[in-house]
Structure formats: C-alpha cells, structure tokens
Amino acid sequence: MGYANPNPPPFGGINIDFHSGSAIITSAIRQINYGAVSATICDTSGQMLFSTNAVYVANSLGDTMLNSSGLSPSYYTNQVGWGGLFLPQSVITIPKPGSSTNYYLIHGTVDDSVAFAHYIYYSEIDMSLDSGLGAMISKNNILLNDTLVPGRITAVKHGNGRDWWFIFHQAKTNLYYVYLIDSNGIQFHDSMSIGEVRTHPNGQSCFSPDGSTFAMYDPLNDLDIMDFDRCTGQFNNIIHVAINDSAAGGGVAFSGNSRVLYVSSIKYVYQFDLTSSDIPNSKLTVAVWDTFYSPSPPSATTFYLSQLAPDNKIYISCNNGTLDIHSIDYPDSLGMACHVCQHCIHLPAYNAFTIPNHPNYFLGAETGSICDTLVGIELISTSTESFNLFPNPVRNILYFTQSIKNPIKSLRVFNTIGQEQAVIYSSIKNDEYIEVNTSSLSSGIYFLEMLTDRQKMVKRFVKE
C-alpha cells in the first residue's frame, strides 16, 4: 500500500507480510503510487511478481513492466496520471487457468462526467518474458461496452477449483454481469437482474471465503446479500438490508468462517449474523468512529474499505491519507467479542484509502459436485490404454476407440461450467468404437467423461 517514495517522509511504500502468521509491517522503497486501487500477486514462495494501480504495472524491481503503461484509457485516467485510480476495486489479478506463467488483469476506469464506466477491459501478462520480470502481451482488450458502475470488480473460484468467475454491475439497473475465465480465455457467461439498482460510484463487493455468498454495498443503495452457485455461476436468495446512515462511502467483508458479514460505513462498523433466520434484524453496531485523527486533522481515521487477511483478521482502511488503519481481531465472533480495534495498525507511511483487492486464491473444488469431476484430469487419461477422439473439432458425429478389455460403461458430456448436456451415443463395429451424436450441442468447448469398471477419464473436444 502507500505512496511513491519521491514524496518526502512520512510518504512511501508499505508492505504487510503474513508469512509468519501475524502481520509484519515494513516500509518499502518504490515508485508506484496507490490511490484507492491496488492489486498484487506473488509466486508460490511469496515473492512479489507485480502490482498495479490500474494505470500501469510495476514489476518486482519496482520498474514499469514492459508494455504495461497506458492501462484503462480515459480522460479521468489521464487526470490522475501515474498516481493511480481512486476507484475502489477497479482492477483485479487472476492467474490464467492451465498456465504457470500468465495472469489476467480485469480493469476499468471512469469514462464520463457522471462518474460511470463505459468499458471493462482485460490485459494479459506473461511472467516468462523480460528475464522473468514479465511483460504485458495484450492490453486494454474490451470485454464489454456498456454503462457500468465503476470498480466493484470481484472474483471467485469456479466450483471445479481451477477456473474463475468474475462479477461486475451495470449502472442505473440491478443487472450483474458474470464472466468465466478458463484455460481457453475469458468469455461472457450470463447477466442476471437481482437486487438493488446501483447508481453510486463508491462502495465494495466481495465473496465469502467459501464462495457461497456474495455481498454488494454502497451508501446510497445499501446492502445486498445473496447466495452464489460456484458450479453454475448463478445468484439466488437475495436479501436486501437498509443501512440508513449518512456515509459517503464504505466497504464490506466476510469473516473467515463465512458466517459473519461486516459493513464499514465511514463512521460505523455493522455486523450481520448470516446464520440468523432474520439477517437484516441481526444488524449490530460494533464500532463508532472515536473521532481520532492520524496524525492530526483533517486526517480522520474513519472506516472505509475492508479486506479479510491471511491471519483471519479484517483490516479496514480510512477514507483519508492516514498513518493508522483499523482491524477486526476476531471477526468469526458475534457481538462486541469481534473486537474492532480502532487505529491499532500503525503504518510507517501514509496510506491513501487503499486496501488490496484480493479474491480467495486458495479456494478449492466443491468436493463431490459435478464441478469436482473436472479438476486435474482434463485431457489426461489415468490409463495407459488409448482412447482416441476424432474428429476434433467435430460437427455432428464424434467417435472414439475403446478397449475391449476395459469397455465404456457410461458416458456423459458437460459444458465448461459443469452442466450436463443431453447427447445420444452407441457402440459400432462390434464395440470397437463409440459414436456420439453432438448435433444438439451449440458451438463451444465440452468435456467427455467416460467411466469403465476401473477408471474415469475426461477428454476435451470442440464443437464447431
């Protein structure tokens, strides 16, 4: 977090490292400046790969990553310049499924004078380039041109534990866009009208750590809570909660056990018990701003964006540049036992609104669901026997050979989001081949699951 180092102390970079199990906070020298936007990614050993403020990407040396300048083009981006966007959750980093080196940035900005976005972009980074410092190989690709709520881009792992869903919101309506990221790229999945009409530029959205619940908050349109199906990408069971305070912005975060929800709303922190039979009436005010300034007025330590951290605490930034932020020390606990510790986290430099936009990168598959059948076995046979699919791509009839010693007992076809497709299949040429009629399938990518007495195999095919 923090500011760039060309500014005099107490400006500068801030790192919070959780590898020891507790938050270790240090200062850092770097050139990238974070406004209200920060997205970072590390390798499996915890070493920084890159970070971004949605205007450009800084590599692990702090230099501008090759070909990464000029992100999120607009008049507003030009105004804020190298300092980064002041739009919460306007960029997120997603590892490309099936790749050990490539990452997607999903990002957007403000494109009109009413503070709405008109584009959602994606850019792709290949960390194998520039001697391991990475390079942007594709930039500012337009996923959607529409009138959109700026920021509030969030993501959750698909139920197969490999792919990703990411979510954003149309402006002036109650419509959510749902996109799928898999090994073949990024594609539109669905749009759903559910919850409140969204018109306010400030707010935050997030998924629960287990991926089953989604929350969207802004101070004008208040709080929506709904269930999310990681296998189908569908929202349902909407609950609306009227907050009714005078906040101009704020955030939302779930506890580590996914059972408690917190809204950080400038002067207040509210708690909701998601196990309650009446969630709106479970609302409890667990903190009121104590009028503290850090280091002095006008730098008020109010409550702004929230993020659950690896130490199972929730950290809350302020809507000012301050030397302190807040923590909820026991967010799994109901009532005042959650312990909102105001301005308890002292920083070595000013932090301007920022808290990194991190999805739960460690969420696995939904064990036992159809989504789980696709994990780790795409295009891989556990048998040494040959099951040869042809033609691939296919138009109407798909064939594959089968072993006489280990014949196919059942066959199913699924699309990329785990939904089973109705197909007709039969054995031909004395059971030497299986013939699958794919004429009823739409064009796209599918998975053929074959079960024998000894094994299960999944192979991918393309329907033209």
Side-chain angles (χ1 to χ4, degrees):
M1 304 187 296
Y3 289 86
N5 283 87
N7 297 295
F11 292 92
I14 304 163
N15 287 342
I16 306 182
D17 189 326
F18 295 94
H19 276 83
S20 67
S22 300
I24 306 300
I25 303 173
T26 57
S27 60
I29 297 174
R30 53 175 165 250
Q31 303 306 308
I32 191 167
N33 190 85
Y34 304 111
V37 176
S38 170
T40 64
I41 195 77
C42 296
D43 63 19
T44 54
S45 64
Q47 299 302 306
M48 174 72 75
L49 293 176
F50 61 83
S51 66
T52 181
N53 58 11
V55 174
Y56 75 99
V57 177
N59 63 26
S60 60
L61 299 181
D63 298 328
T64 301
M65 180 179 282
L66 191 65
N67 193 39
S68 75
S69 59
L71 288 179
S72 313
S74 78
Y75 83 96
Y76 172 73
T77 303
N78 290 337
Q79 281 185 330
V80 298
W82 65 273
L85 300 187
F86 287 83
L87 301 169
Q89 294 181 290
S90 58
V91 64
I92 198 166
T93 303
I94 301 296
K96 184 176 182 178
S99 173
S100 61
T101 59
N102 286 39
Y103 298 83
Y104 288 120
L105 296 184
I106 313 299
H107 53 102
T109 183
V110 163
D111 296 293
D112 63 29
S113 59
V114 193
F116 290 132
H118 289 172
Y119 303 98
I120 290 290
Y121 300 99
Y122 78 92
S123 301
E124 186 173 352
I125 290 169
D126 186 341
M127 289 304 303
S128 68
L129 302 178
D130 197 17
S131 302
L133 293 174
M136 188 162 282
I137 60 174
S138 179
K139 181 168 59 179
N140 294 331
N141 303 287
I142 297 174
L143 276 175
L144 183 67
N145 178 197
D146 197 353
T147 302
L148 305 164
V149 171
R152 272 174 270 182
I153 300 169
T154 191
V156 67
K157 274 277 185 76
H158 190 287
N160 64 23
R162 178 193 61 231
D163 303 328
W164 288 85
W165 304 107
F166 74 91
I167 314 295
F168 54 95
H169 203 286
Q170 189 179 56
K172 300 184 284 187
T173 73
N174 66 342
L175 187 140
Y176 286 88
Y177 285 106
V178 181
Y179 277 68
L180 175 69
I181 302 177
D182 63 16
S183 57
N184 300 291
I186 306 175
Q187 54 258 326
F188 170 77
H189 172 68
D190 201 359
S191 60
M192 285 163 277
S193 294
I194 187 170
E196 289 297 296
V197 171
R198 296 285 163 178
T199 58
H200 199 279
N202 289 321
Q204 191 174 11
S205 66
C206 71
F207 285 94
S208 60
D210 66 7
S212 67
T213 312
F214 173 83
M216 167 80 80
Y217 168 73
D218 74 59
L220 180 62
N221 311 119
D222 295 317
L223 175 66
D224 282 334
I225 307 167
M226 59 193 87
D227 294 338
F228 185 75
D229 188 324
R230 290 202 292 136
C231 204
T232 65
Q234 298 291 308
F235 291 110
N236 53 72
N237 298 329
I238 176 72
I239 296 173
H240 179 70
V241 182
I243 300 297
N244 293 329
D245 66 19
S246 59
V252 63
F254 289 86
S255 63
N257 65 5
S258 301
R259 297 178 181 177
V260 188
L261 179 67
Y262 294 87
V263 170
S264 45
S265 183
I266 305 297
K267 292 185 178 182
Y268 306 94
V269 177
Y270 305 111
Q271 180 193 80
F272 296 89
D273 179 4
L274 300 183
T275 67
S276 171
S277 59
D278 188 349
I279 291 175
N281 282 332
S282 73
K283 174 184 172 185
L284 180 66
T285 302
V286 291
V288 179
W289 177 50
D290 61 5
T291 72
F292 187 79
Y293 293 84
S294 174
S296 58
S299 299
T301 57
T302 47
F303 306 110
Y304 195 43
L305 303 177
S306 298
Q307 177 73 50
L308 179 69
D311 61 356
N312 207 41
K313 295 182 180 182
I314 291 174
Y315 290 78
I316 305 175
S317 66
C318 307
N319 72 327
N320 296 278
T322 63
L323 291 172
D324 297 274
I325 59 175
H326 318 283
S327 64
I328 305 177
D329 293 338
Y330 311 105
D332 290 341
S333 300
L334 293 173
M336 303 307 289
C338 70
H339 191 233
V340 178
C341 196
Q342 297 196 46
H343 46 83
C344 284
I345 310 300
H346 187 68
L347 306 174
Y350 281 108
N351 182 58
F353 319 120
T354 315
I355 209 156
N357 188 21
H358 288 308
N360 183 359
Y361 292 110
F362 305 103
L363 185 58
E366 291 186 338
T367 305
S369 74
I370 181 55
C371 291
D372 189 31
T373 66
L374 304 181
V375 177
I377 55 176
E378 177 188 342
L379 301 177
I380 297 173
S381 171
T382 56
S383 170
T384 58
E385 300 172 277
S386 174
F387 289 83
N388 184 33
L389 250 62
F390 64 93
N392 192 7
V394 61
R395 289 187 178 178
N396 293 313
I397 303 296
L398 180 71
Y399 299 93
F400 65 91
T401 57
Q402 69 167 333
S403 167
I404 296 175
K405 295 180 181 179
N406 190 24
I408 302 296
K409 297 296 185 183
S410 69
L411 180 152
R412 296 193 297 175
V413 171
F414 300 95
N415 62 16
T416 55
I417 61 171
Q419 295 171 327
E420 186 171 358
Q421 308 296 297
V423 296
I424 298 173
Y425 67 95
S426 59
S427 297
I428 61 173
K429 289 194 71 175
N430 296 319
D431 294 333
E432 184 179 351
Y433 295 94
I434 299 290
E435 178 184 271
V436 184
N437 189 328
T438 64
S439 60
S440 63
L441 301 179
S442 302
S443 298
I445 295 168
Y446 295 89
F447 297 90
L448 182 68
E449 179 191 88
M450 299 161 281
L451 294 179
T452 73
D453 285 335
R454 300 202 299 262
Q455 66 200 64
K456 175 173 68 178
M457 296 148 291
V458 176
K459 290 182 178 287
R460 186 177 68 184
F461 70 91
V462 177
K463 170 65 187 296
E464 290 185 331

